[in-house]
Amino acid sequence: MKKVLIAEDEASIRDFVVINLRRSGYEVIEAADGTEAMALFDGNHSEIDIAILDIMMPGADGLEVCKYLRSKSKRIGIIMLTARTQEMDKVTGLLVGADDYVTKPFSPSELMARIDAVYRRVTLTNEAVNNANETENSAVTLNEFTLDLRSHTLTKNGEPIDLTQVEFQIMEYFFSNPNAALSRSDILKFVWGDTYFGDEKIVDVNIHRLRNKVEDEPSSPVHLITVWGMGYKWII
């Protein structure tokens, strides 16, 4: 069954999210703070598909919990709940491993669209990994990089690079279109889907994160290049 961990210290918001999750067929594990969320994850990590984390929580805040969960799992989907005034926290959340964020106040339709989109990515990733040993290998090699579409892995000169599911999908899009300029909106559509409610900033943050992982000198990239006024391209 689809399982979600929700960590939110405001009971009214947590109850609202839980009700909508259960109506949509999700099983829910509730935490009132970050410390409890990490403990619950440790006891159920193999079953949890998505974590929804409020940024502002007593004790361990959402950013700390996000980093902890991402260090334990590359495949879990992570969505941050933020206030409109927490602009830097949104960016920071994405940089430390979140897949998406939802700004309070939010509607049930917006929230569930985001959660469903992340769940679809988690499911596709898990299916690909589970089938990796049962199907013929399908890998794309561009210079020193090899992207394995079955096992969802990226290597550079044979050394593995840890990617989140979102980062892998961005790389998949680049490797399918080498040397082609891809707009932010195209990347957003490919990775997050047509129904995504958010803005294109999420693309920029993930590109920044990817550069730190794939480039020898992230401040002077030679592969992941900015196309000013448009988007990005992967140079081979």
Side-chain angles (χ1 to χ4, degrees):
M1 187 175 183
K2 304 181 292 186
K3 185 171 287 190
V4 176
L5 169 65
I6 167 72
E8 166 63 68
D9 62 307
E10 292 188 47
S12 59
I13 297 177
R14 189 172 68 249
D15 291 344
F16 171 79
V17 174
V18 169
I19 288 171
N20 283 280
L21 283 167
R22 288 177 174 160
R23 284 176 177 170
S24 299
Y26 289 90
E27 182 180 343
V28 186
I29 300 174
E30 299 180 53
D33 58 52
T35 303
E36 184 182 8
M38 290 187 288
L40 288 170
F41 177 80
D42 286 340
N44 299 271
H45 65 87
S46 63
E47 302 174 3
I48 295 174
D49 301 300
I50 299 172
I52 303 171
L53 311 173
D54 181 38
I55 283 187
M56 298 297 291
M57 291 188 291
D61 65 15
L63 297 175
E64 183 178 343
V65 178
C66 179
K67 285 189 284 187
Y68 180 79
L69 300 192
R70 186 55 74 207
S71 72
K72 298 290 185 178
S73 172
K74 300 301 178 185
R75 298 190 184 107
I76 186 175
I78 301 176
I79 299 174
M80 309 300 294
L81 300 181
T82 72
R84 294 191 185 279
T85 56
Q86 295 169 330
E87 194 65 28
M88 264 316 298
D89 285 339
K90 296 175 186 177
V91 175
T92 304
L94 294 170
L95 287 173
V96 299
D99 297 293
D100 201 356
Y101 61 83
V102 178
T103 302
K104 301 175 183 177
F106 45 79
S107 68
S109 60
E110 176 188 5
L111 176 67
M112 293 315 306
R114 300 287 189 94
I115 294 170
D116 288 342
V118 171
Y119 180 75
R120 283 194 295 272
R121 289 200 297 272
V122 170
T123 301
L124 289 172
T125 300
N126 289 340
E127 287 177 352
V129 172
N130 291 336
N131 294 332
N133 295 325
E134 302 174 8
T135 58
E136 184 178 348
N137 185 55
S138 178
V140 180
T141 298
L142 299 178
N143 297 329
E144 69 267 39
F145 295 92
T146 297
L147 191 76
D148 193 315
L149 303 177
R150 300 293 185 186
S151 61
H152 274 224
T153 57
L154 176 69
T155 59
K156 179 179 181 180
N157 295 318
E159 294 296 319
I161 298 174
D162 286 333
L163 299 181
T164 66
Q165 55 181 329
V166 166
E167 291 166 348
F168 181 88
Q169 285 187 279
I170 293 174
M171 291 301 297
E172 181 182 358
Y173 195 34
F174 282 130
F175 272 48
S176 298
N177 300 276
N179 296 322
L182 305 176
S183 70
R184 289 175 176 84
S185 61
D186 286 339
I187 297 171
L188 198 67
K189 182 177 179 180
F190 180 84
V191 178
W192 284 270
D194 294 332
T195 59
Y196 184 71
F197 284 85
D199 58 38
E200 296 177 354
K201 181 184 300 181
I202 194 170
V203 174
D204 298 328
V205 176
N206 276 279
I207 293 296
H208 175 81
R209 201 164 63 185
L210 272 170
R211 279 185 177 142
N212 287 329
K213 294 183 177 183
V214 303
E215 297 282 1
D216 292 332
E217 296 291 339
S219 60
S220 301
V222 297
H223 295 291
L224 223 177
I225 305 299
T226 298
V227 181
W228 295 107
M230 180 187 178
Y232 304 94
K233 63 180 174 179
W234 184 269
I235 300 295
I236 60 173

